Amino acid sequence: MALGYRFRDPSLADLALTHRSVGRPNNERMEFLGDAFLGMIIAEMLYEAHPHASEGELSRLRAQLVNGQALAEIARELELGDRLRLGPGELKSGGFRRESILADAFEAMIAAVYLDGGFDACRDVVHKLFSGRIASLPRSSKDAKTRLQEHLQAMGLPLPRYELIASHGDDHAKHFDVRCVVTEPQSVQAEATGSSRRSAEQEAAETVLSRLLEMSKD
């Protein structure tokens, strides 16, 4: 396996590749653990690689790296599909090619490395697999409102709605409270405060976009 790690207990790797369609035990609990470690380590890597990025931008970059499609791609590179243990129904329907199953197996494999070798071993594997991907991430020059609009348009969904909640402060130091609302594919909204209505809208849009991208990996 091209994972770059040799298991002391190979049964952990086998369990990580056992889908719930086989019965119990399976990789669901390991998937939960691997998702948490993967998200945390990627967040650390992005934090170090992009010292000037905002919280919203870091969240967006992380979502690009750990969504289901991206993780399934890595699973294919590691040829995890060839080693998956699937029940007869999933095997017949081609479950070894399904993105969600491959992504879950990859997350479970990250947990298997942690359980077998500890956090440092887990961190080393994630760094080997993601360092190049992080270095090649495109940095968009488009503002958050434009990126959110384009994201929704690409899926044929309604555009976001921006609402002015309140404005307060003296005329020379006014602040604006704004809400960004997206109704599809499910209701998501975020509030932000800025020294201008535009800046508040940008911050709220960044938060909504990050949440949408996070949800897309589920």
Side-chain angles (χ1 to χ4, degrees):
M1 185 187 302
L3 190 63
Y5 178 79
R6 183 180 295 275
F7 283 91
R8 292 175 294 182
D9 182 359
S11 68
L12 287 169
D14 292 338
L15 182 57
L17 296 171
T18 302
H19 188 254
R20 64 176 178 270
S21 60
V22 174
R24 291 183 179 276
N26 57 55
N27 66 4
E28 285 188 316
R29 283 169 50 83
M30 296 177 78
E31 173 203 340
F32 166 80
L33 186 61
D35 175 70
F37 275 112
L38 186 61
M40 187 267 288
I41 296 169
I42 293 296
E44 177 190 47
M45 294 174 70
L46 289 170
Y47 184 85
E48 294 174 351
H50 300 285
H52 303 298
S54 66
E55 177 188 1
E57 187 173 9
L58 290 172
S59 295
R60 178 176 59 81
L61 293 173
R62 181 177 60 182
Q64 290 183 40
L65 292 166
V66 299
N67 64 69
Q69 182 179 357
L71 298 186
E73 179 183 333
I74 299 174
R76 291 190 190 98
E77 292 175 6
L78 298 175
E79 300 180 344
L80 298 187
D82 296 340
R83 296 187 55 197
L84 280 172
R85 294 181 61 215
L86 302 169
E90 286 290 353
L91 195 59
K92 186 179 296 184
S93 65
F96 58 90
R97 292 190 298 266
R98 190 169 301 152
E99 280 191 353
S100 59
I101 291 178
L102 288 169
D104 291 348
F106 174 73
E107 289 178 335
M109 189 61 71
I110 295 299
V113 173
Y114 166 75
L115 293 170
D116 188 73
F119 179 74
D120 287 342
C122 178
R123 190 171 181 269
D124 286 346
V125 166
V126 174
H127 272 252
K128 288 174 186 174
L129 293 173
F130 284 89
S131 290
R133 287 175 165 83
I134 288 177
S136 62
L137 276 174
R139 295 294 299 275
S140 174
S141 59
K142 297 177 181 177
D143 63 39
K145 290 180 67 174
T146 301
R147 286 187 279 109
L148 175 58
Q149 178 175 315
E150 291 180 350
H151 176 76
L152 294 170
Q153 286 177 327
M155 296 190 293
L157 299 174
L159 296 181
R161 183 175 74 251
Y162 296 93
E163 304 169 352
L164 177 63
I165 302 171
S167 60
H168 44 87
D170 298 330
D171 288 342
H172 66 281
K174 222 170 189 52
H175 284 78
F176 299 84
D177 300 330
V178 167
R179 178 185 296 116
C180 175
V181 180
V182 167
T183 55
E184 295 182 41
Q186 53 187 294
S187 180
V188 179
Q189 59 180 273
E191 296 179 6
T193 299
S195 56
S196 70
R197 181 167 178 173
R198 175 175 170 76
S199 66
E201 288 177 348
Q202 292 288 354
E203 186 176 343
E206 186 78 68
T207 301
V208 167
L209 179 59
S210 296
R211 290 175 183 171
L212 289 174
L213 291 171
E214 286 286 347
M215 288 188 294
S216 70
K217 85 183 189 77
D218 294 336

